[in-house]
Amino acid sequence: FEAMSHMNISACTAGEYGGGMSAYDDVTFGAMSDMNISACTAADGGGLYAYDDVTFEAMSHMNISACTAGEYGGGMSAYDDVTFGAMSHMNITACTAGEYGGGMGASAGVTFEAMS
C-alpha cells in the first residue's frame, strides 16, 4: 500500500485478529495519515493487528479509540518482525484488553524507529 489517508474504520468485529485492520506475512504500508479506528473488537488487536514481516514506513495523525481485545492489545497488537518507521501524533485512548496491553501490546521482534 503506497499511502492511506482520511480513513475511518468503526464498529467492526473480528473473531480472532484485528477488529479494525489486520496485516500479516510481508505487508508494507508506505504512509498512513488521518486514520481513525474506533469501537472495534477482536480477540487479539482490537483496533489494529500486525504480525510477521509487516512494515509501517510512516504513521501520522492516527487515532485508535474505544477498541477492545479479549486477550492482547486493545488498541493495537504487534508481533514478530513488525517495524514502525516513524510515528507522530498517535493517540490510543479508552481501549481495553482482557490480558495485556490495553492500549498497545508488542512482543519480540517489534521495532519502533522514531516516535514524536
Side-chain angles (χ1 to χ4, degrees):
F1 299 97
E2 279 300 312
M4 299 173 75
S5 65
H6 303 288
M7 285 187 63
N8 294 301
I9 299 171
S10 64
C12 299
T13 302
E16 290 192 40
Y17 307 112
M21 179 184 292
S22 179
Y24 59 92
D25 197 18
D26 196 23
V27 176
T28 299
F29 294 95
M32 298 174 75
S33 65
D34 298 315
M35 303 255 326
N36 297 292
I37 300 174
S38 63
C40 294
T41 303
D44 196 354
L48 174 65
Y49 177 85
Y51 172 78
D52 192 24
D53 196 20
V54 176
T55 301
F56 296 93
E57 292 179 353
M59 298 174 77
S60 67
H61 300 282
M62 295 275 303
N63 297 296
I64 300 174
S65 63
C67 293
T68 303
E71 293 184 32
Y72 309 111
M76 177 189 302
S77 283
Y79 304 101
D80 293 333
D81 196 23
V82 175
T83 301
F84 296 93
M87 298 174 69
S88 65
H89 300 96
M90 290 277 305
N91 296 299
I92 300 175
T93 56
C95 295
T96 60
E99 298 277 332
Y100 305 106
M104 177 186 292
S107 71
V110 176
T111 303
F112 296 94
E113 292 179 351
M115 297 180 78
S116 64

